[in-house]
Amino acid sequence: MDLDDCEFIAHIRKDGERLVAHPLSSHNEAVARLAGEFAATFKSSLWAALAGLWHDLGKFREGFQRYIRQCGDPDAHIEGRVAGPEKTHSTAGALWAQQYLKEVQGRSGEVVARVLSYLIAGHHAGLSDWAGENKSLHNRFATEDANKELVTACAAPIPEHLLKPAAPLPDMADLFRYRDDDKDDPIPGRFALWVRMLFSCLVDADFLDTEAFMSPGKNEARQGFLGLGALESLLSERLDKMARDVAERGEADSKVNRKRAEVLRACLAKAELPPSVFSLTVPTGGGKTLSSLAFALRHAVRHGQRRVVYAIPYTSIIEQTAGIFRGIFGDENVIEHHSNVEVDETQETARSRLACENWDAPLIVTTNVQLLESLFANRTSRCRKLHNLVGSVIVLDEAQLLPVAYLQPVVDVLRLLVKDYGVTLVLCTATQPTLESRTGFDQARALRGFKAGEVREIVDDVPGLYADLERVRVHLPADLNATRSWDDLAPEIARHEAVLAIVGRRADARDLYRQLKTENPDGLWHLSGLMCAEHRSDTIQAIKAALADRRRALRAGEVAQPIRVVSTQLVEAGVDIDFPVVYRALAGLDSIAQAAGRCNREGRLERGEVHVFVPPKSPPPGLLRMAEQATRILWAGLPPEADPMGVERFGEFFRRLYGDAQLDEKDICRLLRVGREADVMFRTAAERFRLIDEQDGATVFVRYRRDPDDDRIGMWLNTLKKNGPDRWLLRKLQRYGVTIYHTDLQRLLKQGDIEPLGGDFPGLYVQSADNDVLYDKVLGINVDGVPGDPGSFVL
């Protein structure tokens, strides 16, 4: 519709030289309908629909309409992008909710209105604290500008069905379903999560209807995903083919493959059970990745659940699991969502708002950081996806890596997803953490977890499975406090023709690689977080191919090429490689167990050899050092004949680790408790719940090329700068992002090696187009500031 033909405008877009208007009433009605449909999945339609109906009442103001017509800017509706009180619009609907609901519902209407106020007032800036100094709603609503916004909005001829809908209004009865102090099962944060779910429904509805206007046809282009039933069939076909291939190689009767088949059968059988909390405790190399996915897909299909979310602890290894899934289901049916490529929420544009993920596909592969931070977020881009978690299966791969400093609020929210939102949770790991409620001498540190017996183990005989899959011999250092230098360790590692060495720091991986290169440079590989995802994927595939070539040569009695790999812990989860010898720097018992899972993984040897050593530097203060210390204490008391990696050790390790830690270090649970006046500290809790401190790192897009003619990254960066963000483009680019420390960032900026991406992307950087030495083909991004391969400068 042309601007002149539209009385009240919600948005405008440019079609060549022509400006097209989005009618405001139609937008509010569409958002109300969509939000209500989304919230129906958790029986809260009335709340979300009413928030949608009133969310843009402030746009009826004469000042806003005059501004949007005069400026012709598609970003004019984005609060924060335009200055001045006349340009804002999100307060009027919140204040109208308070005025109208108090009038028709009395005292109960005030509390109902407070819920709607959080949603409507936050649909641009995010959920706020109700009270306090941190940009609270209480203070915001008390200003003269806020009240003026309501008065001037109501002075417009707003349609009566928008202001005073004939549909039933939400009431206090709904609130009691989400009381934190439910006597049957009190869980702090229940009300806060419900409000955040409603907020997700409103924001996603707003974004989708805006997208339908701003980019016609884009939404339809994203609806081509296969359903869960089709995905289950594809996985079943792949598993059948894998079984046939194993049989043709004469390996079906090996102990490892028999046990993998047993794990898969257990997963398929237990998938028939009702939605609940499940644990899948399988030694590394036991096939738990595909078995857990088989459980998730069959369970979702059998019980009418909507999607599978597969969460992985490290950004650095997500691409491995996503790559496996894409190979089965096709690129277009797997959304791989990292945490390191997101638009700055404080400087949104119309395009950047629409580019944020909403997880509308049936299969999502993401990180713990992305999933967990979203569950505590207050900003629109992070919260948009939350309502799509309702009725899903969430697989937490490597569940032992849940963040200890936030473990209590994390366990609380996981329990709420299961109890209130129909989620099935699968805790998948070789080293199962103890997440059931515990009591102890220090109740302030005792975990409030799952009830006894609430977590159902999928594998019936876990100790027996571990005994059957024991494939390595672990060698401990004689003195757990005596460090070894790289000069001392490298010759010992170099004597092995096929060996994997895993260290705890990126700098350690670089230093050990350099030292090994002086000892014997043949067949030497490096893996660390200084390499982008695409580079790591290529390197891991090359390592797998080299291992296969070596095995073929040995079987044929030919000379086998050596293969020595130095890696950080990124190789310990989701990376299917098999070495006869593994060296592991002393760390948490869970990490050492994961490292051992890369040794004799296929059971081809009677025993693989795992050597634990004490590296030159201790882990940094915090969880990694606490985990290492817990392992020292645990092992120091073992008799010589005891197995240091026995399955019974892990419970003791986690009890010691959790017992020594503060499980709610940032006081999140208290901030999210609801008061008598429905007051919650949303903004403060979100700012504190940061698994990765934004001050510690920044993302740099690197110009990694497989060959000189490969310039996909350059093409995508040019498209990004020209056309702005889009979901498909950000999904491509995230595989070329590397996170570096701010100290390194500042030095590289000063040297001109990198430059800000600019435009809609403050906080993101790119390797300078004329710099062809910053990114090394072996070690990744060169944070040393030395051009070329730093290893080549070691004499």
Side-chain angles (χ1 to χ4, degrees), residues 546-654:
L547 285 168
D549 288 344
R550 178 178 173 80
R551 287 193 293 270
R552 282 193 293 270
L554 290 174
R555 285 197 299 267
E558 301 170 354
V559 176
Q561 294 300 311
I563 176 167
R564 304 178 181 94
V565 178
V566 180
S567 177
T568 59
Q569 63 268 30
L570 70 85
V571 80
E572 290 177 349
V575 181
D576 182 9
I577 54 176
D578 185 5
F579 282 84
V581 179
V582 169
Y583 279 72
R584 180 52 164 104
L586 183 64
L589 190 66
D590 55 329
S591 295
I592 295 171
Q594 294 293 336
R598 316 305 131 185
C599 183
N600 195 24
R601 188 178 182 87
E602 300 299 325
R604 296 185 176 97
L605 308 172
E606 182 178 347
R607 284 286 186 273
E609 304 293 335
V610 176
H611 300 270
V612 179
F613 64 92
V614 183
K617 293 182 180 179
S618 295
L623 177 62
L624 293 179
R625 186 173 294 181
M626 290 171 59
E628 182 200 65
Q629 188 61 23
T631 304
R632 287 180 198 267
I633 296 171
L634 187 66
W635 279 351
L638 286 182
E641 68 277 6
D643 178 5
M645 303 302 295
V647 66
E648 68 276 11
R649 307 271 173 260
F650 297 116
E652 184 178 349
F653 168 77
F654 283 111

Side-chain angles (χ1 to χ4, degrees), residues 273-563:
L273 294 175
S276 180
V277 186
F278 294 87
S279 57
L280 179 59
T281 310
V282 177
T284 51
K288 67 180 184 299
T289 298
L290 290 183
S291 292
S292 62
L293 181 62
F295 171 93
L297 288 174
R298 175 161 294 187
H299 185 83
V301 171
R302 294 296 188 273
H303 299 287
Q305 290 174 296
R306 303 193 301 161
R307 59 185 42 82
V308 172
V309 178
Y310 207 100
I312 297 171
Y314 301 128
T315 299
S316 56
I317 57 150
I318 183 177
E319 65 269 8
Q320 299 306 307
T321 300
I324 293 171
F325 293 174
R326 283 195 298 268
I328 299 170
F329 307 118
D331 289 355
E332 66 280 4
N333 290 306
V334 180
I335 288 182
E336 177 185 345
H337 189 199
H338 291 219
S339 309
N340 62 348
V341 182
E342 292 197 336
V343 178
D344 188 323
E345 298 164 318
T346 64
Q347 301 193 42
E348 293 176 324
T349 67
R351 292 184 300 190
S352 70
R353 281 167 63 85
L354 303 181
C356 64
E357 286 286 359
N358 69 341
W359 288 4
D360 54 357
L363 179 57
I364 310 294
V365 184
T366 190
T367 60
N368 285 0
V369 173
Q370 185 60 250
L371 173 64
L372 297 179
E373 286 194 355
S374 295
L375 285 164
F376 292 89
N378 74 311
R379 299 295 306 203
T380 55
S381 61
R382 278 289 178 95
C383 287
R384 179 183 183 184
K385 65 182 80 72
L386 290 184
H387 71 92
N388 279 325
L389 292 176
V390 178
S392 66
V393 181
I394 298 177
V395 180
L396 289 180
D397 193 27
E398 309 303 346
Q400 79 281 0
L401 293 173
L402 289 173
V404 175
Y406 299 94
L407 190 63
Q408 187 59 73
V410 165
V411 171
D412 284 346
V413 80
L414 293 176
R415 291 180 64 208
L416 288 169
L417 287 173
V418 173
K419 186 176 179 66
D420 295 344
Y421 300 99
V423 166
T424 290
L425 181 66
V426 184
L427 303 169
C428 183
T429 177
T431 54
Q432 199 67 241
T434 50
L435 299 182
E436 292 186 342
S437 290
R438 298 195 310 277
T439 57
F441 178 76
D442 185 357
Q443 287 298 309
R445 290 179 179 267
L447 178 68
R448 178 183 59 252
F450 295 100
K451 296 178 180 179
E454 187 177 359
V455 181
R456 310 172 72 167
E457 175 57 52
I458 292 174
V459 175
D460 291 327
D461 181 12
V462 171
L465 179 63
Y466 274 71
D468 288 338
L469 287 178
E470 186 178 354
R471 290 155 289 169
V472 302
R473 184 181 297 108
V474 178
H475 304 274
L476 303 186
D479 184 347
L480 289 168
N481 295 300
T483 62
R484 297 188 67 180
S485 68
W486 304 129
D487 290 350
D488 173 44
L489 193 64
E492 180 181 324
I493 294 173
R495 284 197 291 270
H496 297 283
E497 289 288 294
V499 60
L500 167 65
I502 303 176
V503 296
R505 301 167 180 260
R506 297 188 299 190
D508 289 350
R510 178 193 60 204
D511 293 344
L512 179 56
Y513 173 88
R514 291 172 176 173
Q515 189 62 39
L516 280 170
K517 196 166 185 178
T518 67
E519 298 290 337
N520 192 335
D522 295 335
L524 186 58
W525 305 79
H526 166 275
L527 283 166
S528 86
L530 289 175
M531 302 158 66
C532 70
E534 196 75 4
H535 187 182
R536 287 193 302 267
S537 294
D538 290 345
T539 301
I540 289 169
Q541 291 306 312
I543 291 170
K544 288 182 177 181
L547 285 168
D549 288 344
R550 178 178 173 80
R551 287 193 293 270
R552 282 193 293 270
L554 290 174
R555 285 197 299 267
E558 301 170 354
V559 176
Q561 294 300 311
I563 176 167

Side-chain angles (χ1 to χ4, degrees), residues 727-740:
R727 255 169 283 182
W728 73 267
L729 189 54
L730 294 182
R731 290 170 188 168
K732 296 283 189 185
L733 286 171
Q734 67 189 355
R735 296 184 60 78
Y736 292 83
V738 178
T739 300
I740 64 174

Side-chain angles (χ1 to χ4, degrees), residues 209-251:
D209 187 62
T210 303
E211 178 182 70
F213 168 74
M214 301 292 283
S215 304
K218 180 177 289 188
N219 185 57
E220 289 75 6
R222 292 189 289 104
Q223 301 304 311
F225 303 115
L226 290 177
L228 288 172
L231 296 183
E232 185 192 13
S233 296
L234 286 172
L235 178 60
S236 180
E237 291 172 10
R238 175 59 62 90
L239 292 170
D240 288 345
K241 181 180 185 303
M242 291 170 64
R244 290 194 301 271
D245 291 345
V246 168
E248 289 173 3
R249 295 196 302 268
E251 299 174 357

